Amino acid sequence: MNSPWPSFNEDVGDSRSLGNVRALEWKHLKERCRTLQMESCVWHYMRRWATTTLAHFIMVIEFLMFAHITLLLSLVKNVYFYELVPYLLVMTLMPLVMMVCLKDSHRHYFACNMIASWMMAFLLTIMDNFVSISHGGNVALMPSYDHIVLAAVYLYLPVAFMDRGRPYILGLAVSVVYFCCSCWRLTDNKAQFFPTLVCYALYLFYQNLVMAFFFTLRVFGVRRLILNRHQLVYENIVLKMVLKNEKALLESILPAKGDQTLQVDICTRIEDERQDKKIPKLRKLFVEPHPAVSILVADMVNYTNLTNTLDARSLVEILHELFVNYDRATKRNDAQRIKLLGNSYICVSGIPMYNTDHACCCVDLALDMISITQQVREQWMLNIDLRVGVHSGEVFAGVIGHIKWQYDIWSKDVDITNRLEMWGEPDMVHISNHTLSLLNDEYLYEEGTDSARNDPVLQKAEISTYLVSGRHPDFMEPCFGLDSNIRGVSLASYRTSFSHIYEEVPKKTKKNMENEVKHIPVGQRINIWRAPKRDGVEPNEDQLFDAHISYGLMNFHSASMECAYMKMPDLLMKYSLVIALFAAVVVFAMNITVSVSSMFKELFAMLLVLVLICLIGGYKKLWMQFHVLQPSFCLNRWLVWMSELIEQQSLYVGMPLSIFVIILVFVIATTGVLVCNRAEFEFELIESDVADEEPQMMCFLPWVLTHSVIIVLSLLFAFDALSLSFKTGIGLFILSCHLFIIHAHYGFAFERSDTINMNLKAEYAHSWYLLAYFTVLSVKQRHSTYINKAIFFTRDRYEKTRKQTEDSTKSIQIIMLNMLPSHVADNFLERRRNDQLFYENFKNVAVMFASIENYQADRAGIRMLHEFICYFDELLVNFGRKYKIEKIKVMDWTYMAACGLEAANYIPVRKEESELSTRSNSASVGSNESSEPVSLVDDDEVVLVMTDFAVHLLRIMNNIQVEDIFYELDLPKSSRGCLKIGIAPGPVKAGVVGHSKPHYDIWGSTVNMAYRLTSTGQQGAIQVGKSTAQVLRRNNIRCSYRGQSWLKGMGTYPTYLVDLDETLEFQYNDETSSEQDSEEDERTLGGSTGSDC
């Protein structure tokens, strides 16, 4: 089941993804907010915005009332006081009524704001109709603020900012009041009653529709803002978590002191990948000397039999239980685990910080490990023991490799410790005289083994050995054995686990968002005044955002940021075009109602153009409603492409198209003016005056024309593709044109129309009606632009945070891929949890060991080893196809890799084991290894790929010798290394074990066989077993029979060498070689003990 929560790089407000949803965009965002439980944040922000908007509304209305009174006092002689009373009353009562809405925390917030909104709306409505009503209908006066009241209901009053506020109910109620007053006012004008009333009804209906659209735009913008901020908060939490996990993973590779160096190398690698830089000839080597440490090497006795007899699940559970407790004991005894090598556990005390008690720490750790092993042996009824060697001296410690790092230690003292472990006794700690001298007689010990005394390496180093059995009774300390919590609850409960962290991310995000929404910018000051900065007070987000935009037209100070903002897609462009089409239809209907225009065909043609533009703009949306697949017909594809272009290319397509549509609607609105015969119109009006009759208005009705221009002005704010400066400029142009018509070109017509106040010239009434509307919408649009740019600014911050998170996540991926094979790392990264053991069975895997000979364990030798491993690691990139080669580990100077660790080679899970696995709380992807030899006829590819890889390794070593790549190191050629390689295919077990340091390993007889073939091989050659040779011969690659070789634990065994020429190319079979191979097979048929494994 998919999580409703986004991933760190899923942009929930992305324009392109939003443009591809089938549902309406605002409904999609509403559903998304509900899914993420952000609806409460949306309406909390809306309440904050309502408070700011209310302050703007009070200022705007106060200004309009004051300007209206000033207009009357300046232009009207003998103004009656009662005509000023409604405006004075609004100026007085409005702040008192709205005062209750300025706080959003009181108990009855919803009820108080609803009542205040309805009271304010009807107060303005009554004020607007008071003058006309006071004259008893004897004087026909037009309303001054019907459009302002409707704008207030949908854009300013608190009812428009509350969940379940339903402002359209209040808008329709106000419209009905105005319509009824208009019916009463026009009762005496029978000639113009019907057309005027129809036009006014259409006008009010359109005003409600367009204001509802503005309301939808605002809620859409707020939801998008909240989702963007949610994503930003989510990003920050994930980033902190990722950085924490990155640090934990780095410390699981090497000690904390060196993880910063490795982290710098990871960042450099990510940057080099971006810039496609080439790898330098000699790479960085992270190696540090540690002159005084103690080394512990532990080896499990009877490990080979354990890996051959147990199934994968049991083997991983046992090893995991051992190594988890070993890790806990290591931490408890102030030591550092270096690596796991199959049955070997290697750690050091005194790294990374010097420890004066390093010898005691290692011996105590060894005794704890022996106790842990004994308890596991008893609980699982196993035949296992532990040999431990401890030696004190100096080491070089560092990270080697390029594609898959490994922290390791090197020195002669490490070799001595390996010898001590090899010649030790089970359940005893085999120590050197150097270590004994640091123990202060706190332990019981005896002389070392005879084998150690006769070892030439120990003799040369003048090392005498001792066997420690425990602490002296006078120095006894509590013994730490197997942690009882490890068994019975979950074997992996102490593993590196990210599940609980990821489960907390949504909760933390929601909690942080509740606080964040209190600080998101709402334009508290920028739209009214500039608050001065005070020293010592941290600026809020409004002030921070204020520093990035200009005060006047809300432009970004940065031209590049302003250009980027203007290029933002307008997802609602298609709906804005529909609103423009509806506006044109309303204007067209109003013109037809008033008079039959001679330009009917031209008007209809312009409407058809708008219909075509709307169809193209919304074609993609329409297609998605009825089709799932992309269109195949060329015309459909072109229309979808054009639709996307209109939506996505705001600057180059959306903006010019918006201007064209607005101008086209303006032309439709002013058709009556354009086609009118001015002389005839004026003559008709003069005749009406002489006859003392009502003028017929043969071309247009002045108030219908003014209402039409109001409709055009409203379209300016329906297109987000237009910037505020463009909207203001176009609006002023339209106003100027209409004011010119009112006062100059057709003044004789407008002066005979109705006015809004007694004795006020009608021309001024029309002008005031237009200017008041433009002022109200401009203030609101300026504030909306502020919010839109705040959204953009938030998204810009989000992009920067997302880049940081992507880099850190990529760093984690690099780290994980350097700890585990790709298929295991992918599973680990996707699931983000390790509360279950991971183990697998593979039916056929080719295992290779490549041992570098002729080396010296000094600093120059380590540099050479690092270069060898880096070259080998880089070669892995060329073997990442279907049969991918995975680097498993580096053991001293031996490189281990495997081919065939893919899902196709899994052995199906048995029902019985699946049930058993479920009961043991372990995740299985495999079953028991088959005891029968596996036929390789159908699985030759893994052997061929691995053999080809081995040949490439030999070529690398040869090129190093020929090209003298290490001349800078000044090493003798005899010490520059050569390879011995062994390959064996067959079934293997695999799994991840460990506590704080997850370790992936493979086990089984196939692994043992490959290792033995390497140890008994020839320098510069590839040694294989009989069945491998058969696979190669079957694929026309010649193999020479070497003879019967003694392999430890397996007895004598027929071995073969892969034939290569002087250029290290395969030698292919011919008739003579085929006959010789057949004879060799017959001779060795009785001597073979089985397949490679």
Side-chain angles (χ1 to χ4, degrees):
M1 184 174 179
N2 294 330
S3 171
W5 292 86
S7 64
F8 80 89
N9 59 356
E10 179 190 352
D11 189 354
V12 293
D14 178 57
S15 300
R16 193 163 292 277
S17 62
L18 270 178
N20 291 326
V21 298
R22 298 185 67 181
L24 297 175
E25 284 79 1
W26 54 84
K27 287 188 175 181
H28 173 77
L29 289 189
K30 183 177 182 180
E31 186 61 32
R32 194 64 175 161
C33 286
R34 285 180 176 176
T35 303
L36 297 176
Q37 301 176 5
M38 288 292 106
E39 275 294 287
S40 59
C41 293
V42 169
W43 294 107
H44 182 88
Y45 179 77
M46 289 286 277
R47 289 198 299 271
R48 290 186 58 227
W49 193 356
T51 304
T52 304
T53 302
L54 197 59
H56 296 166
F57 176 66
I58 294 174
M59 293 182 64
V60 168
I61 297 299
E62 292 286 324
F63 168 76
L64 291 179
M65 296 300 104
F66 177 78
H68 197 140
I69 293 173
T70 304
L71 182 72
L72 293 177
L73 294 175
S74 303
L75 300 177
V76 179
K77 296 180 180 180
N78 302 322
V79 179
Y80 295 105
F81 178 74
Y82 74 90
E83 292 186 2
L84 303 179
V85 168
Y87 310 115
L88 294 172
L89 196 63
V90 168
M91 292 179 69
T92 305
L93 294 180
M94 185 182 63
L96 299 177
V97 174
M98 293 289 98
M99 193 68 68
V100 71
C101 306
L102 292 176
K103 291 185 178 181
D104 63 351
S105 58
H106 55 81
R107 183 176 179 183
H108 302 291
Y109 174 81
F110 181 82
C112 292
N113 279 269
M114 288 293 291
I115 294 172
S117 298
W118 280 72
M119 286 180 62
M120 195 65 235
F122 279 97
L123 175 64
L124 290 173
T125 303
I126 294 170
M127 172 274 298
D128 199 19
N129 290 282
F130 173 78
V131 177
S132 179
I133 296 172
S134 65
H135 287 279
N138 296 324
V139 181
L141 297 177
M142 294 292 294
S144 308
Y145 298 106
D146 50 355
H147 53 340
I148 303 297
V149 176
L150 288 175
V153 169
Y154 288 95
L155 302 180
Y156 282 99
L157 293 177
V159 67
F161 294 87
M162 292 187 296
D163 189 16
R164 297 176 290 108
R166 297 179 178 87
Y168 54 86
I169 297 178
L170 179 56
L172 291 175
V174 169
S175 299
V176 169
V177 172
Y178 271 107
F179 184 77
C180 293
C181 290
S182 180
C183 291
W184 177 70
R185 177 174 52 84
L186 293 171
T187 304
D188 295 336
N189 190 357
K190 299 186 183 297
Q192 300 293 337
F193 179 81
F194 179 77
T196 305
L197 207 58
V198 169
C199 291
Y200 192 61
L202 289 172
Y203 172 70
L204 290 175
F205 178 72
Y206 171 81
Q207 283 293 327
N208 278 275
L209 180 69
V210 74
M211 292 301 165
F213 181 69
F214 291 164
F215 170 76
T216 302
L217 284 178
R218 179 175 59 206
V219 178
F220 173 80
V222 170
R223 285 202 168 95
R224 199 171 177 191
L225 172 64
I226 293 298
L227 287 174
N228 284 332
R229 181 55 67 98
H230 173 274
Q231 189 72 13
L232 180 63
V233 173
Y234 189 84
E235 281 285 327
N236 288 329
I237 294 174
V238 172
L239 178 60
K240 292 177 183 177
M241 180 191 64
V242 165
L243 292 175
K244 182 179 179 181
N245 294 344
E246 180 185 25
K247 182 175 179 63
L249 289 172
L250 281 171
E251 292 180 355
S252 73
I253 297 177
L254 74 168
K257 186 179 180 181
D259 62 355
Q260 293 181 354
T261 306
L262 190 56
Q263 195 166 21
V264 170
D265 185 60
I266 295 171
C267 295
T268 303
R269 182 180 301 188
I270 293 173
E271 194 62 32
D272 289 346
E273 287 178 1
R274 284 202 184 107
Q275 301 177 8
D276 198 20
K277 288 185 178 179
K278 294 183 178 179
I279 300 171
K281 192 170 185 180
L282 288 177
R283 300 134 179 105
K284 292 181 181 178
L285 176 62
F286 306 110
V287 172
E288 292 181 328
H290 297 274
V293 299
S294 288
I295 309 147
L296 180 151
V297 177
D299 187 83
M300 194 181 302
V301 180
N302 204 30
Y303 172 80
T304 302
N305 182 61
L306 193 72
T307 60
N308 290 336
T309 56
L310 291 177
D311 62 86
R313 180 186 61 81
S314 300
L315 179 63
V316 170
E317 286 185 356
I318 292 169
L319 293 178
H320 177 73
E321 188 169 345
L322 281 168
F323 291 139
V324 162
N325 281 280
Y326 289 169
D327 286 344
R328 291 170 63 80
T330 300
K331 185 176 181 180
R332 188 168 56 241
N333 288 286
D334 196 18
Q336 178 80 31
R337 190 242 278 178
I338 302 300
K339 58 184 176 180
L340 299 176
L341 295 178
N343 59 329
S344 296
Y345 187 93
I346 302 172
C347 59
V348 175
S349 181
I351 293 179
M353 303 299 294
Y354 174 70
N355 181 3
T356 55
D357 296 326
H358 55 83
C360 292
C361 288
C362 268
V363 174
D364 287 340
L365 172 59
L367 294 173
D368 283 351
M369 291 172 66
I370 291 172
S371 176
I372 290 168
T373 307
Q374 290 172 346
Q375 293 184 50
V376 171
R377 178 177 62 197
E378 293 173 2
Q379 291 176 2
W380 287 87
M381 294 179 291
L382 300 170
N383 182 21
I384 57 171
D385 291 294
L386 196 68
R387 285 197 312 264
V388 185
V390 176
H391 174 59
S392 302
E394 62 179 13
V395 297
F396 291 101
V399 179
I400 59 171
H402 178 70
I403 290 179
K404 192 167 287 187
W405 304 296
Q406 183 169 311
Y407 186 70
D408 209 344
I409 55 174
W410 307 269
S411 72
K412 294 179 181 178
D413 291 311
V414 176
D415 297 336
I416 290 172
T417 310
N418 285 323
R419 295 281 177 168
L420 291 172
E421 177 274 315
M422 182 169 42
W423 303 125
E425 292 289 339
D427 297 337
M428 302 283 279
V429 186
H430 201 191
I431 65 173
S432 66
N433 54 328
H434 293 176
T435 303
L436 182 64
S437 65
L438 301 173
L439 297 182
N440 302 322
D441 296 328
E442 296 180 8
Y443 299 87
L444 300 172
Y445 63 91
E446 58 189 64
E447 289 294 325
T449 62
D450 294 335
S451 301
R453 280 193 292 270
N454 298 326
D455 185 276
V457 174
L458 297 180
Q459 289 177 350
K460 183 179 179 180
E462 299 181 353
I463 297 294
S464 54
T465 66
Y466 304 89
L467 292 171
V468 175
S469 57
R471 272 184 170 270
H472 195 279
D474 295 337
F475 296 94
M476 287 297 291
E477 291 186 358
C479 178
F480 297 92
L482 180 66
D483 194 326
S484 60
N485 292 325
I486 294 294
R487 292 186 59 82
V489 180
S490 171
L491 292 173
S493 58
Y494 291 94
R495 293 174 62 93
T496 304
S497 176
F498 302 117
S499 58
H500 66 285
I501 300 176
Y502 276 79
E503 289 171 359
E504 290 296 320
V505 170
K507 297 178 182 178
K508 288 183 179 179
T509 304
K510 187 175 183 299
K511 184 177 179 180
N512 289 358
M513 274 300 297
E514 293 173 356
N515 182 58
E516 280 285 322
V517 77
K518 300 176 183 177
H519 305 287
I520 300 176
V522 291
Q524 292 175 348
R525 296 183 178 88
I526 194 164
N527 287 316
I528 305 173
W529 64 82
R530 295 267 181 168
K533 295 180 180 178
R534 291 179 292 177
D535 296 335
V537 178
E538 186 177 351
N540 58 30
E541 289 200 35
D542 281 284
Q543 292 171 327
L544 290 174
F545 183 52
D546 183 17
H548 291 84
I549 57 175
S550 64
Y551 175 68
L553 296 174
M554 299 287 119
N555 292 325
F556 283 110
H557 294 312
S558 170
S560 59
M561 186 173 287
E562 181 66 24
C563 184
Y565 172 77
M566 294 176 69
K567 290 180 180 179
M568 279 183 61
D570 182 6
L571 295 178
L572 303 183
M573 180 69 174
K574 47 187 169 290
Y575 307 110
S576 300
L577 291 174
V578 173
I579 292 294
L581 175 61
F582 187 78
V585 171
V586 169
V587 170
F588 177 77
M590 290 168 67
N591 285 331
I592 295 299
T593 303
V594 172
S595 63
V596 179
S597 174
S598 60
M599 289 183 63
F600 179 81
K601 293 181 179 179
E602 289 80 358
L603 288 173
F604 192 73
M606 286 187 278
L607 282 178
L608 287 180
V609 171
L610 286 174
V611 170
L612 182 61
I613 292 174
C614 287
L615 285 176
I616 295 175
Y619 191 82
K620 177 184 174 184
K621 196 72 174 180
L622 292 173
W623 180 271
M624 291 171 58
Q625 298 304 309
F626 304 102
H627 303 85
V628 178
L629 301 176
Q630 291 292 325
S632 56
F633 184 55
C634 59
L635 179 61
N636 289 332
R637 288 202 306 270
W638 182 83
L639 289 172
V640 169
W641 174 75
M642 285 294 296
S643 181
E644 287 185 341
L645 201 64
I646 292 172
E647 187 178 82
Q648 297 293 330
Q649 297 294 329
S650 294
L651 182 60
Y652 304 112
V653 179
M655 186 179 295
L657 184 63
S658 302
I659 296 173
F660 172 77
V661 168
I662 292 170
I663 297 299
L664 189 61
V665 177
F666 181 60
V667 170
I668 296 174
T670 56
T671 303
V673 175
L674 297 175
V675 301
C676 182
N677 188 318
R678 186 174 181 277
E680 290 184 6
F681 189 23
E682 186 174 8
F683 182 74
E684 187 270 335
L685 292 177
I686 293 174
E687 284 187 338
S688 299
D689 290 343
V690 171
D692 196 19
E693 297 176 354
E694 287 291 331
Q696 295 300 313
M697 297 293 180
M698 57 177 287
C699 293
F700 58 84
L701 290 178
W703 276 107
V704 172
L705 181 59
T706 299
H707 288 162
S708 298
V709 174
I710 289 290
I711 289 174
V712 177
L713 287 176
S714 69
L715 291 180
L716 287 172
F717 308 101
F719 290 94
D720 280 344
L722 291 174
S723 65
L724 181 61
S725 55
F726 273 94
K727 291 178 179 180
T728 304
I730 297 171
L732 291 175
F733 169 76
I734 294 173
L735 276 176
S736 301
C737 291
H738 193 60
L739 290 176
F740 174 77
I741 293 172
I742 293 173
H743 293 279
H745 199 56
Y746 281 96
F748 60 85
F750 282 89
E751 68 183 9
R752 289 174 171 82
S753 64
D754 295 334
T755 185
I756 58 176
N757 287 100
M758 287 289 295
N759 301 322
L760 179 68
K761 290 184 179 181
E763 306 99 284
Y764 296 120
H766 285 273
S767 301
W768 176 246
Y769 191 84
L770 288 166
L771 291 172
Y773 186 76
F774 186 73
T775 301
V776 169
L777 285 192
S778 294
V779 171
K780 189 59 190 175
Q781 185 59 36
R782 193 163 175 268
H783 194 193
S784 298
T785 301
Y786 176 89
I787 299 299
N788 291 336
K789 293 203 170 183
I791 296 173
F792 175 80
F793 189 69
T794 302
R795 287 184 56 77
D796 187 62
R797 290 173 56 194
Y798 155 69
E799 290 294 337
K800 294 176 182 177
T801 308
R802 183 172 66 173
K803 182 180 178 298
Q804 290 179 329
T805 310
E806 284 178 349
D807 285 348
S808 297
T809 306
K810 190 179 291 185
S811 173
I812 284 185
Q813 290 172 341
I814 292 174
I815 297 169
M816 288 302 304
L817 290 171
N818 278 277
M819 296 171 64
L820 307 171
S822 58
H823 72 286
V824 180
D826 291 342
N827 181 280
F828 187 89
L829 289 170
E830 287 175 9
R831 293 170 59 199
R832 300 285 179 169
R833 56 189 300 154
N834 272 344
D835 55 354
Q836 294 178 327
L837 293 179
F838 182 88
Y839 62 90
E840 344 176 72
N841 283 321
F842 295 96
K843 61 183 179 181
N844 185 38
V845 174
V847 182
M848 182 208 74
F849 287 88
S851 177
I852 304 172
E853 306 293 325
N854 300 334
Y855 65 89
Q856 295 179 0
D858 53 12
R859 187 160 193 142
I862 296 169
R863 155 62 76 181
M864 187 172 63
L865 171 64
H866 177 62
E867 294 298 329
F868 287 151
I869 300 304
C870 285
Y871 277 113
F872 296 170
D873 289 347
E874 289 165 12
L875 182 62
L876 289 172
V877 176
N878 300 326
F879 289 84
R881 298 178 295 275
K882 178 181 178 182
Y883 295 97
K884 184 178 182 180
I885 294 180
E886 288 284 356
K887 173 184 174 183
I888 304 300
K889 56 189 171 185
V890 176
M891 305 180 297
D892 295 328
W893 289 67
T894 301
Y895 191 90
M896 180 183 178
C899 179
L901 298 175
E902 288 96 8
N905 288 327
Y906 286 163
I907 298 176
V909 180
R910 295 177 183 171
K911 182 178 180 182
E912 312 87 62
E913 184 180 353
S914 178
E915 293 174 354
L916 179 62
S917 174
T918 303
R919 288 196 299 271
S920 64
N921 195 26
S922 300
S924 173
V925 291
S927 63
N928 293 340
E929 257 182 55
S930 174
S931 59
E932 297 295 328
V934 177
S935 173
L936 302 178
V937 175
D938 297 328
D939 298 303
D940 293 357
E941 197 68 29
V942 292
V943 176
L944 297 174
V945 172
M946 182 55 81
T947 307
D948 187 31
F949 179 74
V951 172
H952 277 79
L953 295 184
L954 293 176
R955 291 171 187 163
I956 288 174
M957 300 299 290
N958 182 67
N959 291 338
I960 289 173
Q961 294 284 351
V962 172
E963 298 178 12
D964 197 17
I965 291 177
F966 297 146
Y967 71 91
E968 297 179 13
L969 302 179
D970 194 25
L971 297 174
K973 289 191 176 182
S974 60
S975 66
R976 294 183 184 178
C978 57
L979 284 182
K980 290 197 304 185
I981 299 177
I983 298 174
V988 299
K989 311 177 187 77
V992 180
V993 296
H995 175 204
S996 59
K997 301 181 179 182
H999 173 74
Y1000 182 85
D1001 209 347
I1002 58 176
W1003 308 279
S1005 56
T1006 303
V1007 179
N1008 300 330
M1009 170 64 77
Y1011 183 74
R1012 303 306 178 198
L1013 287 170
T1014 304
S1015 61
T1016 60
Q1018 290 185 1
Q1019 292 185 8
I1022 303 170
Q1023 181 166 259
V1024 298
K1026 180 180 178 181
S1027 61
T1028 308
Q1030 290 175 346
V1031 171
L1032 295 174
R1033 288 172 175 174
R1034 191 161 54 239
N1035 289 275
N1036 202 32
I1037 297 175
R1038 187 192 304 169
C1039 294
S1040 299
Y1041 177 65
R1042 184 186 181 195
Q1044 296 285 339
S1045 300
W1046 185 84
L1047 305 181
K1048 182 180 177 181
M1050 300 178 184
T1052 58
Y1053 195 85
T1055 57
Y1056 298 77
L1057 298 177
V1058 179
D1059 283 352
L1060 303 171
D1061 60 15
E1062 294 180 355
T1063 61
L1064 297 177
E1065 296 288 344
F1066 287 118
Q1067 293 292 293
Y1068 297 102
N1069 290 327
D1070 51 28
E1071 294 182 2
T1072 304
S1073 62
S1074 298
E1075 293 176 359
Q1076 292 175 352
D1077 292 341
S1078 300
E1079 293 176 1
E1080 291 172 359
D1081 288 342
E1082 291 176 0
R1083 290 198 305 270
T1084 61
L1085 187 60
S1088 176
T1089 59
S1091 68
D1092 285 9
C1093 41

